[in-house]
Amino acid sequence: MTVKYAQVIIDVNSDGVDKPFDYLLPRELQEKVQVGTQVIVPFRSGTVRAFVVSLKEESSVQNPKMVLKVEKAAAHLSPELIRLSYWVSRYFFSRWIEAIRLCLPPGEGRVKPQYEEIVFPQKEKPLLFEESKRLCNKAFRQSLILEYVALSAEEGVPWDVLRGETEAGRQSLNALIKKGLLRVEKVPRVRVPWDEETFAAGSQPSLVLTGQQEKAWQEILKGFEGQRKHFLIYGVTGSGKTELYFRTAEKVLSEGRTVLILVPEIALTPVLINQFRGRFAGQFALLHSNLSPGERFDMWWKVKRKEARVVLGARSAVFAPLENIGLIVIDEEHENAYKQEEAPRYHTRDVALQRAVYHGALLLMGSATPSLDSYVKVQRKELELIEISERVEGRLLPTVQIVDMRREFKQKNKSIFSRALLSAIKETIARGEQLILFLNRRGFAGFQLCRVCGFVMRCPYCSVSLTYHTNPEHLQCHICGYRSDATSICPECHSPYLRSFGLGTQRVEKEMSMLFPGINIIRMDSDATSAKGAYSKMWKSFYEKKAQVLIGTQMVAKGLDFPEVTLVGVIAADVTLHLPDFRAGERTFQLLSQVAGRAGRGEKKGRVIIQTYTPWHYSIRRAASHDYKGFIAEEAKRRELLAYPPFSEIILFCCSSPDEEKARRYAVELKKRLGGKLPINSREDFLLSEPFPAPLQKKEGYFRYHVVYKGNDLHRFAGEIREVVWNFRKELREDVRVTVDFNPQIML
Ligand code: ADP
Ligand code: ZN
Ligand code: ZN
């Protein structure tokens, strides 16, 4: 077949060009262009970059324009990733180009690759020595260079090293190259992201599996042979899931295939990275957003060049340019962070499944608290369940006590610590053991309120109250980051009685240091860990017992393994419970179970105390009794009754504008148009809501209105939905944004 035309997706952000365009391939490019190739094409009055998505012999377009050139040094995508980007754009209602960009090197265009020059011998060693001797008097530096290169092994010497060692200039090297004695090769230099100072890589031997791990391993092995390759590993905290991931990865590598391991951003602890480096030295790459742009760029290329066959990364690494994938792991699969909250609003689990199917790879999703979404897939036989119900070495799950804070208050205890928690803290400190205090709110106090007129300090851009922070004292919006000065004078009635209410981690830190003067405390939240390397340092000093108390937000709930922690205190379990979101109960259960799981991971037994104003709530009770199955059954019943996911699907449409009335009007119009195209069924199989103000009514200066479409198998109508929304957006002339989110994780 003679390929003459390329269909391309133009790299321009607009709904109008969100479709393939035909271009003619000049004869000299016909061989060079494949699906995934980056090309330059004429477009409108200029030229743009574009991605080839298919090739054809004929085109129905009259006089198509010509592809101008192939970008030689650019990142070309595999046909698999082109296919995947198409699927992502359809499934999650984004533009194709937005999905393609996920597959490109991060920071592309802003970061320059770095190269290193390596000097190699071009002649036999004896000859080089001979030349070196001959040049000794005439050209001393040249003679030194020759000698140095001759003495080095065949892998060559970096020019930087050579220059440093011989103090020779470039002209000496050039002279030797000209004489045909040496040659220089430019090779990419990889900026290495690991924190070499904090941790030295140690190679870890594989452990002897416990009985339950062994059973799980046998199940996984069946996946290598059989058809059922997608697993949900439900293993309690500390049951040793990581070792299973490692084993599977090693087996996959030995078969010549590649491995992708995904963890939530906050679980990317120095320990985990270090364990990986130890086990997979030399073929390992790290991809996540805390790397510098240069590091991310280099790591991506390292994978692309096939120098790394194991990738460890956060959400976006699911698009890593690996080929021949044999295993994808999603650790802590229940985490919200796996859903991207901006276009393309993809869920990592769904994307990973697509890739696993394409490659015939194993998929291992692990958690101590699997999401209801995944658990239901087990019942539907889409995932195989593997259970590990015991911790390694017979360690016990911690005992959990719930403290009713209303009773504390009635009995005149106005402290943030209940009597039970306070005495447990005292005992733990006296015994020289470590403890974690968890509160899922950063800052000092939740909000500031005037005791005279009831005025609450709010963000001018978002419909939330401002959080009071100390060090330095200020007010902060936790949605958009807006800051303002703190004051005690009410801006409304000018009384001096503006006071702060509600708790944050800074307050807990202050109370602790007042109660236990001289004790070492680490506070771990996104304020305290914003500087590069801060997180690792904190982690390390707590691990080395340089501090006895760790106070933190959800950052301390995930993936941390501190064997000396015997007490975990939850200051207020209700923080996440009352969010207007149907997943609030599930999220609270997961968070409490995870944070409780940080206690008793060593030889000593652990203890957990949960303080709450809603002690009867099923999420809190089930978390306290380590009853995942009981929780999931109850949660499933509720969600099924209300026909919420995973017993239905939801598409969330959001219209937003700086003008509230406009946002509302456009939402009304959008609903009308959707209503004209989509089935709406009175028996409530398909339900299209009236527009309503979003729970988070205003965000970053935009008023927001939601329209919700709920039903089953909604992708049957994906074409209609795209058409309505894309056309609607094309017509927008005012400052109104319209977004579509398929199965949102957060409904605010
Ligand atoms: P999970 O991810 O399931 O919460 P981890 O994988 O972090 O648990 O394992 C908990 C701890 O148990 C780790 O310190 C790990 O090194 C250790 N561990 C895992 N498997 C074994 C084993 N077979 N023998 C001894 N220790 C183990
Ligand atoms: Zn006031
Ligand atoms: Zn704000």
Side-chain angles (χ1 to χ4, degrees):
M1 124 172 170
T2 44
V3 167
K4 283 180 73 178
Y5 300 93
Q7 285 202 305
V8 306
I9 290 290
I10 305 273
D11 189 6
V12 169
N13 239 354
S14 138
D15 290 335
V17 302
D18 185 23
K19 58 176 186 241
F21 288 91
D22 281 15
Y23 280 85
L24 186 64
L25 280 171
R27 188 171 296 275
E28 70 275 15
L29 290 186
Q30 286 174 6
E31 298 274 286
K32 290 185 190 155
V33 169
Q34 286 154 2
V35 170
T37 305
Q38 256 193 56
V39 293
I40 301 292
V41 296
F43 184 71
R44 297 198 179 127
S45 57
T47 60
V48 292
R49 160 166 99 157
F51 295 85
V52 175
V53 296
S54 74
L55 297 165
K56 23 188 229 178
E57 290 167 62
E58 281 165 30
S59 169
S60 54
V61 178
Q62 294 284 313
N63 299 323
K65 289 186 191 163
M66 192 112 79
V67 171
L68 297 176
K69 64 172 183 174
V70 170
E71 285 279 46
K72 248 176 49 204
H76 301 291
L77 302 179
S78 65
E80 186 230 345
L81 287 178
I82 291 291
R83 218 179 105 146
L84 185 72
S85 65
Y86 177 75
W87 179 86
V88 166
S89 71
R90 301 301 118 161
Y91 198 75
F92 295 105
F93 298 95
S94 81
R95 296 178 192 128
W96 195 345
I97 190 66
E98 289 170 325
I100 287 176
R101 289 198 195 118
L102 294 171
C103 305
L104 294 173
E108 202 199 21
R110 282 173 290 131
V111 192
K112 285 226 161 57
Q114 284 184 356
Y115 293 96
E116 176 170 49
E117 289 181 307
I118 311 282
V119 182
F120 292 95
Q122 188 75 320
K123 292 268 157 46
E124 298 294 312
K125 266 188 197 169
L127 198 125
L128 294 186
F129 281 122
E130 218 170 274
E131 274 298 300
S132 170
K133 250 184 244 145
R134 212 173 54 75
L135 286 169
C136 197
N137 295 325
K138 281 196 298 182
F140 181 59
R141 301 278 174 224
Q142 287 186 34
S143 141
L144 279 181
I145 293 179
L146 276 184
E147 191 185 345
Y148 200 95
V149 175
L151 283 172
S152 314
E154 297 303 308
E155 64 251 32
V157 191
W159 168 235
D160 285 343
V161 173
L162 204 51
R163 192 173 48 189
E165 294 290 328
T166 63
E167 293 175 9
R170 184 74 199 203
Q171 67 286 6
S172 307
L173 177 66
N174 288 345
L176 293 166
I177 295 169
K178 227 169 165 185
K179 290 178 197 164
L181 297 167
L182 301 178
R183 70 188 161 85
V184 166
E185 246 180 62
K186 256 185 162 185
V187 300
R189 186 207 302 268
V190 177
R191 281 157 278 197
V192 175
W194 14 93
D195 181 358
E196 298 283 357
E197 277 174 41
T198 317
F199 296 95
S203 82
Q204 249 110 12
S206 61
L207 301 161
V208 180
L209 297 183
T210 65
Q212 289 213 354
Q213 275 175 325
E214 182 60 39
K215 246 181 70 205
W217 176 235
Q218 292 305 325
E219 291 294 311
I220 296 171
L221 281 178
K222 284 186 206 156
F224 278 90
E225 310 300 332
Q227 296 299 311
R228 312 198 65 96
K229 292 176 178 299
H230 309 150
F231 297 92
L232 179 66
I233 306 181
Y234 158 49
V236 296
T237 52
S239 59
K241 295 184 283 295
T242 316
E243 181 60 28
L244 290 170
Y245 304 152
F246 282 0
R247 289 251 167 151
T248 316
E250 277 164 350
K251 184 163 163 62
V252 165
L253 289 172
S254 74
E255 293 177 351
R257 307 180 74 187
T258 64
V259 172
L260 176 57
I261 302 200
L262 303 167
V263 297
E265 194 87 49
I266 38 183
L268 271 165
T269 57
V271 192
L272 185 70
I273 294 170
N274 218 41
Q275 283 178 345
F276 268 91
R277 282 174 60 205
R279 280 293 259 277
F280 305 105
Q283 40 185 348
F284 165 63
L286 191 58
L287 285 174
H288 68 100
S289 62
N290 276 348
L291 306 182
S292 74
E295 288 165 352
R296 292 179 73 185
F297 186 83
D298 292 354
M299 281 286 137
W300 189 94
W301 275 103
K302 194 176 167 193
V303 178
K304 179 76 179 170
R305 289 193 303 263
K306 302 195 169 75
E307 289 162 22
R309 296 168 58 228
V310 184
V311 171
L312 173 65
R315 179 177 69 218
S316 61
V318 74
F319 296 98
L322 286 166
E323 288 173 30
N324 195 14
I325 299 174
L327 168 68
I328 304 179
V329 171
I330 305 181
D331 191 28
E332 313 280 4
E333 67 83 34
H334 63 278
E335 275 295 322
N336 270 341
Y338 283 125
K339 177 78 174 2
Q340 172 146 304
E341 298 297 342
E342 59 203 58
R345 297 177 165 76
Y346 67 88
H347 200 301
T348 309
R349 283 195 302 246
D350 300 315
V351 180
L353 181 63
Q354 287 295 312
R355 293 199 83 177
V357 168
Y358 180 92
H359 290 279
L362 259 71
L363 177 65
L364 300 183
M365 303 204 289
S367 173
T369 52
S371 62
L372 181 60
D373 291 344
S374 294
Y375 201 78
V376 160
K377 285 190 178 165
V378 171
Q379 291 164 342
R380 293 176 186 159
K381 304 259 184 286
E382 292 166 34
L383 290 174
E384 302 290 304
L385 183 68
I386 294 178
E387 272 190 68
I388 318 176
S389 57
E390 279 168 19
R391 286 184 155 183
V392 296
E393 300 185 328
R395 284 166 205 156
L396 296 173
L397 284 169
T399 50
V400 184
Q401 180 187 351
I402 298 177
V403 176
D404 184 349
M405 290 305 274
R406 298 167 308 168
R407 285 230 330 250
E408 292 287 315
F409 190 77
K410 258 186 223 148
Q411 293 169 8
K412 306 266 177 317
N413 176 12
K414 291 184 183 164
S415 150
I416 66 171
F417 302 115
S418 60
R419 288 156 300 175
L421 181 55
L422 189 62
S423 75
I425 293 174
K426 278 184 187 155
E427 282 165 27
T428 308
I429 287 177
R431 278 202 300 266
E433 293 168 1
Q434 288 183 299
L435 64 110
I436 294 178
L437 295 176
F438 167 76
L439 176 61
N440 208 16
R441 192 190 292 120
R442 62 198 174 86
F444 191 87
F447 57 99
Q448 276 201 315
L449 173 133
C450 172
R451 302 197 96 152
V452 176
C453 74
F455 178 83
V456 171
M457 296 289 281
R458 293 184 170 280
C459 176
Y461 307 106
C462 310
S463 50
V464 295
S465 52
L466 293 170
T467 305
Y468 174 69
H469 286 248
T470 53
N471 290 331
E473 197 179 35
H474 68 281
L475 298 175
Q476 203 187 95
C477 171
H478 285 185
I479 298 289
C480 73
Y482 166 85
R483 279 163 168 254
S484 81
D485 291 337
T487 168
S488 56
I489 309 289
C490 173
E492 194 69 17
C493 73
H494 306 290
S495 83
Y497 298 109
L498 203 60
R499 293 284 181 272
S500 44
F501 293 86
L503 299 177
T505 44
Q506 288 184 329
R507 169 86 187 277
V508 181
E509 184 184 18
K510 185 173 168 219
E511 300 275 334
M512 279 299 287
S513 55
M514 279 177 0
L515 285 166
F516 303 95
I519 197 153
N520 279 331
I521 300 173
I522 293 174
R523 195 187 85 234
M524 201 186 253
D525 54 30
S526 49
D527 296 319
T529 55
S530 58
K532 197 174 187 229
Y535 180 79
S536 312
K537 284 205 192 85
M538 287 184 183
W539 184 91
K540 192 181 182 222
S541 35
F542 195 64
Y543 192 77
E544 292 174 349
K545 293 194 76 175
K546 289 189 180 132
Q548 232 179 325
V549 181
L550 178 65
I551 297 170
T553 54
Q554 54 179 328
M555 268 187 191
V556 303
K558 313 286 154 62
L560 296 177
D561 192 9
F562 298 116
E564 299 292 325
V565 170
T566 54
L567 173 66
V568 167
V570 177
I571 303 295
D574 323 67
V575 171
T576 50
L577 199 56
H578 304 302
L579 292 174
D581 190 318
F582 69 85
R583 284 195 177 85
E586 188 180 3
R587 206 156 293 140
T588 302
F589 173 83
Q590 288 163 346
L591 212 44
L592 291 178
S593 306
Q594 296 285 343
V595 74
R598 299 309 114 202
R601 291 172 75 96
E603 270 136 38
K604 298 175 197 138
K605 183 153 167 52
R607 179 173 178 199
V608 179
I609 295 176
I610 298 178
Q611 303 188 152
T612 176
Y613 287 93
T614 41
W616 66 87
H617 194 281
Y618 70 104
S619 295
I620 293 173
R621 277 194 297 107
R622 301 282 188 179
S625 52
H626 307 294
D627 184 9
Y628 171 75
K629 292 255 172 95
F631 168 79
I632 214 74
E634 196 159 345
E635 180 72 8
K637 233 187 312 169
R638 283 162 197 262
R639 299 254 279 266
E640 192 162 19
L641 201 69
L642 298 167
Y644 276 129
F647 304 99
S648 70
E649 291 170 338
I650 280 183
I651 300 178
L652 177 65
F653 301 89
C654 180
C655 291
S656 60
S657 166
D659 178 336
E660 181 166 15
E661 178 49 26
K662 258 184 213 160
R664 195 193 60 79
R665 239 185 25 238
Y666 276 86
V668 169
E669 174 63 19
L670 179 64
K671 194 246 154 175
K672 203 171 102 200
R673 294 196 194 184
L674 288 167
K677 291 267 182 181
L678 300 175
I680 300 169
N681 187 310
S682 56
R683 280 176 294 137
E684 303 210 342
D685 288 332
F686 298 103
L687 198 122
L688 185 64
S689 80
E690 290 301 321
F692 60 95
L696 182 60
Q697 265 191 53
K698 190 179 166 199
K699 185 182 176 189
E700 292 164 7
Y702 279 71
F703 290 91
R704 308 158 74 241
Y705 274 78
H706 281 174
V707 175
V708 172
Y709 189 48
K710 198 161 98 170
N712 279 305
D713 225 348
L714 296 184
H715 278 100
R716 279 177 289 168
F717 318 116
E720 285 88 339
I721 292 170
R722 267 184 102 80
E723 201 187 311
V724 169
V725 174
W726 265 238
N727 285 333
F728 191 57
R729 282 202 296 226
K730 260 185 260 171
E731 292 167 23
L732 292 178
R733 292 290 171 267
E734 299 181 276
D735 193 1
V736 178
R737 296 176 187 163
V738 180
T739 61
V740 191
D741 195 345
F742 174 70
N743 274 353
Q745 289 292 302
I746 298 168
M747 299 274 288
L748 296 183

